[in-house]
Amino acid sequence: MKVVVISGSPRKNANTQIVMKYVYDYTKSKNQETKLINLSEGQIECYRGPDEEYNEATKTAANDIMDADVWLIGSPIYNSFFSSSLKNLFEYINYKKTAGKVAGMTILASGSIGFIDVQTSITQLLSYFRVITNPKAVFLTTDSVKENNMLDADAQNRLKEMVDETLEMGSKLR
């Protein structure tokens, strides 16, 4: 089963990256066909339309997403919405190649409001792509990430549970 982990923050050294790197490492230990797309690396170009030519990193990321059976998406909350860089990435995805895939999500915020709104927005986006979404998203605040870039035990357990459940959903639907 092919899995793609998407770290949806454009910021260098962002807490979302720490969280999604943990998700990637855990997922990779369970499934070797796991790839990481880290939007903070700045290689994904701004979408300019379907007839434009894009760099190799952009084309590879889009193809990795369309080829994957399972998507594990992490996004920060910016201005009560998921990151614009994550939305930009999905502009490259062909909805005709995504029906029946499965997604799990992690949402990170500095406070404890807005999670359900962002979960709903991401779920609506994934619905357009006919992706089945694990309804049990992981909501984390930046307090879950400690100064040494480690997640607290509760956050680790909830992330593992989301990954395990999403992978199980993906294997059952294959």
Side-chain angles (χ1 to χ4, degrees):
M1 183 165 56
K2 293 180 181 177
V3 179
V4 66
V5 176
I6 303 169
S7 178
S9 175
R11 295 180 180 172
K12 301 282 183 205
N13 303 315
N15 288 324
T16 303
Q17 285 180 58
I18 295 164
V19 170
M20 296 315 289
K21 178 72 167 97
Y22 180 84
V23 168
Y24 170 76
D25 290 340
Y26 179 72
T27 306
K28 185 87 170 169
S29 75
K30 300 181 88 47
N31 182 54
Q32 286 302 303
E33 285 192 89
T34 300
K35 295 183 178 182
L36 175 66
I37 298 171
N38 185 348
L39 298 183
S40 73
E41 293 174 354
Q43 298 172 332
I44 307 300
E45 294 181 272
C46 186
Y47 186 74
R48 301 180 307 276
D51 299 326
E52 298 293 321
E53 188 60 34
Y54 296 99
N55 67 27
E56 200 58 39
T58 301
K59 291 188 273 189
T60 299
N63 287 329
D64 285 347
I65 291 169
M66 289 184 285
D67 289 344
D69 303 300
V70 174
W71 305 345
L72 298 171
I73 302 167
S75 179
I77 295 177
Y78 294 150
N79 299 317
S80 299
F81 209 69
F82 60 89
S83 77
S84 60
S85 58
L86 183 62
K87 173 62 169 80
N88 179 66
L89 177 64
F90 278 95
E91 294 294 339
Y92 296 98
I93 308 306
N94 181 344
Y95 74 93
K96 294 176 184 174
K97 296 181 179 182
T98 58
K101 295 180 186 299
V102 174
M105 71 181 88
T106 301
I107 302 167
L108 190 73
S110 59
S112 56
I113 61 170
F115 289 114
I116 299 299
D117 293 338
V118 172
Q119 179 188 20
T120 300
S121 296
I122 294 173
T123 301
Q124 287 172 334
L125 175 67
L126 296 176
S127 178
Y128 170 79
F129 290 103
R130 301 180 191 140
V131 171
I132 300 159
T133 306
N134 180 345
K136 193 184 240 181
V138 177
F139 303 145
L140 298 173
T141 64
T142 53
D143 294 339
S144 301
V145 181
K146 304 300 178 201
E147 288 180 28
N148 60 359
N149 294 337
M150 295 299 293
L151 293 166
D152 66 35
D154 177 60
Q156 290 179 11
N157 290 335
R158 290 189 293 137
L159 289 166
K160 287 178 182 178
E161 186 177 322
M162 182 274 296
V163 169
D164 291 342
E165 289 176 1
T166 307
L167 292 177
E168 184 178 346
M169 287 173 64
S171 67
K172 286 181 177 178
L173 292 171
R174 284 187 77 203

